[in-house]
Amino acid sequence: DIQMTQSPSSLSASVGDRVTITCQASQDIRNCLNWYQQKPGKAPKLLIYDASNLETGVPSRFSGSGYGADFSFTIANLQPEDIATYYCQSYDKRPIFTFGPGTKVNIK
Amino acid sequence: QVQLEESGGGVVQPGRSLRLSCAASGFTFSDYGMHWVRQAPGKGLEWVAVIWYDKSYTYYAESVKGRFTISRDNSKNTLYLQMNSLRDEDTAVYYCARDVRSARYDFWGQGTLVTVSS
Protein backbone atom coordinates (compact mmCIF):
# COMPACT_ATOMS: atom_id res chain seq x y z
CA ASP A 1 0.00 0.00 0.00
CA ILE A 2 1.09 3.53 -0.73
CA GLN A 3 1.60 5.73 2.32
CA MET A 4 1.52 9.51 2.07
CA THR A 5 3.18 11.88 4.49
CA GLN A 6 2.88 15.66 4.68
CA SER A 7 4.92 18.29 6.42
CA PRO A 8 4.49 20.34 8.36
CA SER A 9 1.32 19.15 10.08
CA SER A 10 0.45 22.78 10.76
CA LEU A 11 1.89 26.21 10.13
CA SER A 12 1.21 29.85 10.87
CA ALA A 13 2.14 32.56 8.40
CA SER A 14 1.36 36.20 7.74
CA VAL A 15 -0.87 37.57 5.03
CA GLY A 16 1.22 37.98 1.90
CA ASP A 17 3.71 35.27 2.86
CA ARG A 18 4.78 32.44 0.60
CA VAL A 19 3.78 29.08 2.11
CA THR A 20 5.04 25.68 1.02
CA ILE A 21 3.76 22.25 2.04
CA THR A 22 5.50 19.04 1.11
CA CYS A 23 4.03 15.62 0.45
CA GLN A 24 6.02 12.44 0.18
CA ALA A 25 4.85 9.09 -1.14
CA SER A 26 6.25 5.77 0.09
CA GLN A 27 6.98 4.79 -3.50
CA ASP A 28 7.22 6.29 -6.97
CA ILE A 29 3.78 7.58 -7.99
CA ARG A 30 4.94 9.50 -11.07
CA ASN A 31 2.69 12.60 -11.20
CA CYS A 32 -0.39 10.86 -9.81
CA LEU A 33 -1.01 13.43 -7.12
CA ASN A 34 -3.70 16.00 -6.35
CA TRP A 35 -4.09 18.72 -3.74
CA TYR A 36 -7.33 19.63 -1.98
CA GLN A 37 -8.33 22.48 0.30
CA GLN A 38 -10.80 21.89 3.12
CA LYS A 39 -12.25 24.75 5.11
CA PRO A 40 -13.85 24.04 8.49
CA GLY A 41 -17.25 22.37 8.18
CA LYS A 42 -17.00 22.16 4.40
CA ALA A 43 -16.27 19.49 1.84
CA PRO A 44 -12.80 19.40 0.28
CA LYS A 45 -12.17 21.32 -2.92
CA LEU A 46 -9.79 20.29 -5.69
CA LEU A 47 -7.03 22.85 -6.29
CA ILE A 48 -4.24 21.04 -8.17
CA TYR A 49 -4.40 17.84 -10.20
CA ASP A 50 -1.71 15.68 -11.79
CA ALA A 51 0.84 17.30 -9.46
CA SER A 52 1.02 20.69 -11.19
CA ASN A 53 -2.20 21.51 -13.06
CA LEU A 54 -4.40 24.25 -11.66
CA GLU A 55 -8.08 23.32 -11.51
CA THR A 56 -10.36 25.69 -13.41
CA GLY A 57 -11.37 28.70 -11.35
CA VAL A 58 -8.65 28.29 -8.72
CA PRO A 59 -6.56 31.42 -8.09
CA SER A 60 -3.11 31.41 -9.64
CA ARG A 61 -1.40 31.98 -6.27
CA PHE A 62 -1.82 28.23 -5.73
CA SER A 63 0.69 25.94 -7.44
CA GLY A 64 2.07 22.44 -7.26
CA SER A 65 5.19 20.67 -8.41
CA GLY A 66 7.05 17.42 -8.12
CA TYR A 67 7.37 13.98 -9.65
CA GLY A 68 8.10 10.50 -8.38
CA ALA A 69 7.82 10.50 -4.62
CA ASP A 70 8.38 14.12 -3.60
CA PHE A 71 5.88 16.89 -4.16
CA SER A 72 5.27 20.40 -3.01
CA PHE A 73 2.32 22.77 -2.85
CA THR A 74 2.76 26.53 -2.64
CA ILE A 75 0.53 29.47 -1.82
CA ALA A 76 2.41 32.43 -3.29
CA ASN A 77 0.66 35.26 -1.46
CA LEU A 78 -1.25 33.96 1.54
CA GLN A 79 -4.71 35.46 1.91
CA PRO A 80 -7.08 35.32 4.92
CA GLU A 81 -9.48 33.12 2.94
CA ASP A 82 -6.73 30.50 2.54
CA ILE A 83 -7.16 29.40 6.16
CA ALA A 84 -7.84 25.71 5.71
CA THR A 85 -6.41 22.24 5.89
CA TYR A 86 -4.64 21.04 2.75
CA TYR A 87 -4.48 17.40 1.73
CA CYS A 88 -2.43 15.63 -0.90
CA GLN A 89 -4.00 12.59 -2.54
CA SER A 90 -2.42 9.87 -4.65
CA TYR A 91 -4.24 7.94 -7.36
CA ASP A 92 -1.33 5.81 -8.53
CA LYS A 93 -3.22 2.69 -7.45
CA ARG A 94 -6.41 3.88 -9.08
CA PRO A 95 -9.28 3.63 -8.44
CA ILE A 96 -8.07 3.41 -4.85
CA PHE A 97 -7.15 6.86 -3.60
CA THR A 98 -4.82 7.58 -0.69
CA PHE A 99 -4.82 10.83 1.22
CA GLY A 100 -2.03 12.46 3.17
CA PRO A 101 -2.68 13.39 6.80
CA GLY A 102 -3.24 17.06 6.04
CA THR A 103 -1.55 20.37 6.80
CA LYS A 104 -3.46 23.01 8.72
CA VAL A 105 -2.67 26.57 7.63
CA ASN A 106 -3.35 29.45 9.99
CA ILE A 107 -2.77 33.19 9.82
CA LYS A 108 -0.21 34.56 12.24
CA GLN B 1 -24.98 22.78 -11.94
CA VAL B 2 -23.55 19.62 -10.44
CA GLN B 3 -25.04 18.76 -7.07
CA LEU B 4 -24.47 15.85 -4.73
CA GLU B 5 -26.61 15.56 -1.63
CA GLU B 6 -26.02 12.92 1.01
CA SER B 7 -28.67 11.72 3.45
CA GLY B 8 -29.29 8.91 5.87
CA GLY B 9 -26.82 9.73 8.60
CA GLY B 10 -27.67 9.60 12.27
CA VAL B 11 -26.92 7.93 15.58
CA VAL B 12 -26.76 4.15 15.57
CA GLN B 13 -25.69 1.55 18.11
CA PRO B 14 -22.61 -0.60 17.55
CA GLY B 15 -23.39 -3.70 15.54
CA ARG B 16 -26.39 -2.14 13.83
CA SER B 17 -26.84 -1.08 10.19
CA LEU B 18 -27.40 2.15 8.31
CA ARG B 19 -27.81 3.04 4.65
CA LEU B 20 -26.55 6.30 3.24
CA SER B 21 -27.79 7.83 0.00
CA CYS B 22 -26.28 10.41 -2.32
CA ALA B 23 -28.66 12.07 -4.76
CA ALA B 24 -26.95 13.44 -7.87
CA SER B 25 -28.17 16.11 -10.24
CA GLY B 26 -26.87 18.46 -12.90
CA PHE B 27 -24.87 15.85 -14.81
CA THR B 28 -25.22 12.45 -16.47
CA PHE B 29 -24.82 10.30 -13.38
CA SER B 30 -24.37 7.07 -15.34
CA ASP B 31 -21.21 8.45 -16.99
CA TYR B 32 -19.20 8.73 -13.77
CA GLY B 33 -17.60 6.54 -11.18
CA MET B 34 -18.56 7.51 -7.66
CA HIS B 35 -16.81 7.24 -4.30
CA TRP B 36 -17.53 7.45 -0.62
CA VAL B 37 -14.94 9.21 1.52
CA ARG B 38 -15.20 9.66 5.28
CA GLN B 39 -13.71 11.93 7.91
CA ALA B 40 -13.72 11.06 11.60
CA PRO B 41 -14.20 14.03 13.95
CA GLY B 42 -11.04 16.15 13.94
CA LYS B 43 -9.23 13.71 11.66
CA GLY B 44 -8.17 13.50 8.03
CA LEU B 45 -9.85 12.12 4.95
CA GLU B 46 -10.19 8.36 4.43
CA TRP B 47 -11.23 6.77 1.17
CA VAL B 48 -14.00 4.18 1.76
CA ALA B 49 -15.28 2.72 -1.50
CA VAL B 50 -15.72 3.24 -5.24
CA ILE B 51 -18.17 1.96 -7.81
CA TRP B 52 -17.72 2.05 -11.55
CA TYR B 53 -20.08 4.13 -13.67
CA ASP B 54 -21.80 0.96 -14.94
CA LYS B 55 -21.66 -0.94 -11.62
CA SER B 56 -19.20 -3.41 -13.12
CA TYR B 57 -16.54 -2.96 -10.41
CA THR B 58 -16.46 -2.04 -6.76
CA TYR B 59 -13.50 -1.62 -4.42
CA TYR B 60 -13.33 -1.12 -0.67
CA ALA B 61 -10.91 0.06 1.96
CA GLU B 62 -9.65 -2.79 4.14
CA SER B 63 -11.24 -1.13 7.16
CA VAL B 64 -14.76 -1.62 5.76
CA LYS B 65 -14.39 -4.64 3.49
CA GLY B 66 -17.03 -7.26 4.23
CA ARG B 67 -19.17 -4.83 6.23
CA PHE B 68 -19.98 -2.02 3.78
CA THR B 69 -21.53 -2.29 0.32
CA ILE B 70 -21.49 0.45 -2.26
CA SER B 71 -24.18 0.43 -4.94
CA ARG B 72 -25.96 2.74 -7.33
CA ASP B 73 -29.23 3.12 -9.16
CA ASN B 74 -28.52 4.97 -12.39
CA SER B 75 -32.24 5.26 -13.14
CA LYS B 76 -32.64 7.22 -9.90
CA ASN B 77 -29.30 9.10 -10.09
CA THR B 78 -28.52 7.84 -6.63
CA LEU B 79 -25.47 6.33 -4.94
CA TYR B 80 -25.77 4.21 -1.79
CA LEU B 81 -23.60 2.94 1.01
CA GLN B 82 -25.00 0.07 3.05
CA MET B 83 -23.12 -0.08 6.34
CA ASN B 84 -23.50 -3.21 8.47
CA SER B 85 -21.88 -4.30 11.74
CA LEU B 86 -21.06 -0.70 12.57
CA ARG B 87 -18.24 0.03 14.99
CA ASP B 88 -17.33 3.03 17.09
CA GLU B 89 -14.50 3.78 14.67
CA ASP B 90 -16.97 4.19 11.80
CA THR B 91 -18.14 7.45 13.38
CA ALA B 92 -17.45 10.09 10.73
CA VAL B 93 -18.84 12.51 8.22
CA TYR B 94 -19.43 10.55 5.03
CA TYR B 95 -19.01 12.33 1.72
CA CYS B 96 -19.91 11.15 -1.75
CA ALA B 97 -17.64 12.42 -4.50
CA ARG B 98 -17.58 12.32 -8.29
CA ASP B 99 -14.63 10.61 -9.91
CA VAL B 100 -12.87 12.08 -12.92
CA ARG B 101 -10.92 9.48 -14.96
CA SER B 102 -10.24 7.39 -11.84
CA ALA B 103 -7.83 10.14 -10.85
CA ARG B 104 -9.49 12.87 -8.84
CA TYR B 105 -12.67 14.22 -7.32
CA ASP B 106 -14.13 17.29 -8.94
CA PHE B 107 -17.36 17.53 -6.94
CA TRP B 108 -18.26 16.55 -3.41
CA GLY B 109 -21.47 16.47 -1.42
CA GLN B 110 -21.82 18.38 1.83
CA GLY B 111 -21.49 15.23 3.91
CA THR B 112 -23.71 13.34 6.34
CA LEU B 113 -22.69 12.53 9.91
CA VAL B 114 -22.81 8.97 11.18
CA THR B 115 -22.35 8.50 14.92
CA VAL B 116 -21.91 4.98 16.25
CA SER B 117 -22.56 4.99 19.95
CA SER B 118 -24.35 2.97 22.58
Side-chain angles (χ1 to χ4, degrees):
Chain A
D1 290 4
I2 295 174
Q3 307 298 321
M4 308 298 294
T5 58
Q6 285 182 238
S7 63
S9 56
S10 65
L11 66 89
S12 291
S14 300
V15 172
D17 279 356
R18 183 181 184 88
V19 168
T20 296
I21 298 167
T22 63
C23 176
Q24 187 169 55
S26 58
Q27 58 189 265
D28 186 344
I29 59 169
R30 298 164 293 158
N31 69 331
C32 299
L33 188 99
N34 306 318
W35 291 94
Y36 296 85
Q37 174 193 65
Q38 187 180 33
K39 297 184 177 181
K42 300 294 186 182
K45 174 187 174 183
L46 178 66
L47 299 181
I48 302 289
Y49 65 94
D50 298 346
S52 60
N53 293 298
L54 193 68
E55 174 71 347
T56 302
V58 173
S60 59
R61 65 179 180 275
F62 296 101
S63 65
S65 65
Y67 191 91
D70 296 300
F71 302 86
S72 63
F73 171 81
T74 297
I75 307 173
N77 173 18
L78 188 67
Q79 296 299 301
E81 61 266 32
D82 300 335
I83 303 260
T85 299
Y86 293 85
Y87 294 92
C88 61
Q89 173 243 314
S90 166
Y91 58 91
D92 184 67
K93 300 301 182 188
R94 65 182 78 188
I96 296 170
F97 294 177
T98 304
F99 290 95
T103 296
K104 190 170 184 179
V105 174
N106 294 302
I107 297 289
K108 196 181 291 184
Chain B
Q1 70 281 22
V2 173
Q3 288 194 328
L4 299 171
E5 185 169 356
E6 302 93 340
S7 60
V11 181
V12 60
Q13 293 179 328
R16 304 299 289 264
S17 299
L18 204 62
R19 188 177 83 156
L20 306 182
S21 300
C22 169
S25 60
F27 66 102
T28 304
F29 181 66
S30 57
D31 283 349
Y32 289 85
M34 296 293 297
H35 295 240
W36 287 99
V37 177
R38 69 183 181 183
Q39 186 169 36
K43 302 298 184 182
L45 301 167
E46 180 189 15
W47 173 79
V48 173
V50 58
I51 185 166
W52 247 234
Y53 68 99
D54 61 356
K55 301 187 278 189
S56 57
Y57 293 97
T58 57
Y59 295 91
Y60 298 91
E62 286 298 322
S63 58
V64 307
K65 197 174 291 185
R67 300 187 300 122
F68 289 13
T69 302
I70 188 171
S71 63
R72 63 192 295 160
D73 186 335
N74 286 343
S75 68
K76 295 182 178 179
N77 294 336
T78 303
L79 174 73
Y80 302 101
L81 185 68
Q82 177 67 43
M83 304 185 294
N84 298 332
S85 304
L86 282 161
R87 305 168 180 169
D88 291 350
E89 56 265 33
D90 296 319
T91 293
V93 173
Y94 285 73
Y95 296 99
C96 60
R98 191 175 82 165
D99 179 315
V100 177
R101 300 176 186 172
S102 292
R104 60 189 181 267
Y105 303 123
D106 62 346
F107 286 96
W108 300 64
Q110 84 288 349
T112 187
L113 176 62
V114 173
T115 303
V116 183
S117 173
S118 52

